[in-house]
Amino acid sequence: GGGGGGGRLWLSPASGRWKGTPDPRVGRLFSHPAGGAGDGRAGGGAGGIGTVRGAACEPGHGGLLCDLCGAGTAKRHADNGPCEACAPGTVAPAPGQSACSPCGAGLVASNDTSYPSPGEGGLACLPCPLGETASARGDACDRCALPPLRASFVAVNSCSWRCDPPFILAAGRDQCGLFFEVWFTNLGLLLDVPPAAGHAVILLPPLAGLALLAALLLLLVGLLLLLRLLLHLL
């Protein structure tokens, strides 16, 4: 005759989930079909493989033992299927969630609670670092274009920047400069005075440029002497 069929095991916790923490040895046992095929003899067929079935778990619990879904995972349906990792752009910050939630505007779903690390299994909604902005779906940080020289980003989730002191923004140009700038060329002395007022450029002939520089140096020396005198009197 044929071999006997494997056993049939039905796990049915009364509340739809197990109380306490099951013995891990039980979990290992239930991860395989219960029972085995009987050996067919004298021409009889082999018996069927045993099975293990679990009860319908409450949402937020999964597996044969209705384990609590961990942070970063969720399960919506009442069955004994597995908990699933949150899709990119969504999070489950606490265990036992029936669904993963999207992040608000300007935040990304991160699987690291201390630094934005987009991907599956989101644990927290975090802002992107300076110089990056969150995508509309909250599943990536997009890099901003680099600011000009002498400028820095000023806010999270924004590509806005401002000039670093003491530099100022030149009107009509995405450049940061001093209140006035001086260049030497083969034509003479170029003065950019001042960039913020419209970038007015003045070209002085070589002799006039040298005279202006000499006057500025004399003025600087005079100011230094005056400061020294004041310090001496104090």
Side-chain angles (χ1 to χ4, degrees):
R8 301 291 189 265
L9 182 59
W10 171 254
L11 305 179
S12 181
S15 65
R17 57 191 170 96
W18 294 88
K19 302 293 186 183
T21 303
D23 190 308
R25 292 173 296 178
V26 178
R28 289 195 295 271
L29 174 64
F30 290 164
S31 65
H32 302 283
D39 293 329
R41 298 190 183 282
I49 299 296
T51 59
V52 176
R53 293 184 61 191
C57 305
E58 295 177 355
H61 300 74
L64 289 172
L65 300 182
C66 294
D67 296 319
L68 192 69
C69 294
T73 67
K75 189 169 77 68
R76 181 184 303 275
H77 303 291
D79 55 32
N80 64 332
C83 301
E84 297 183 351
C86 294
T90 62
V91 297
Q97 301 297 304
S98 61
C100 301
S101 304
C103 292
L107 300 174
V108 294
S110 171
N111 50 33
D112 187 320
T113 58
S114 58
Y115 187 83
S117 178
E120 290 187 344
L123 300 173
C125 293
L126 300 177
C128 292
L130 276 176
E132 299 182 19
T133 58
S135 64
R137 294 178 54 188
D139 59 354
C141 288
D142 300 324
R143 290 185 178 274
C144 301
L146 290 176
L149 187 65
R150 308 163 182 165
S152 304
F153 293 111
V154 294
V156 296
N157 198 48
S158 172
C159 291
S160 59
W161 51 266
R162 68 182 175 193
C163 297
D164 301 325
F167 303 104
I168 58 176
L169 181 64
R173 298 186 302 164
D174 287 340
Q175 296 182 17
C176 298
L178 294 171
F179 185 73
F180 68 90
E181 296 182 0
V182 180
W183 294 280
F184 291 99
T185 73
N186 57 354
L187 298 177
L189 188 70
L190 281 175
L191 295 179
D192 191 349
V193 187
H199 187 54
V201 177
I202 302 174
L203 175 63
L204 297 178
L207 292 178
L210 291 176
L212 177 61
L213 285 179
L216 291 175
L217 288 175
L218 289 174
L219 178 61
L220 179 61
V221 171
L223 290 175
L224 291 176
L225 291 175
L226 179 60
L227 178 62
R228 182 177 180 181
L229 178 61
L230 291 175
L231 291 175
H232 181 72
L233 292 175
L234 293 176

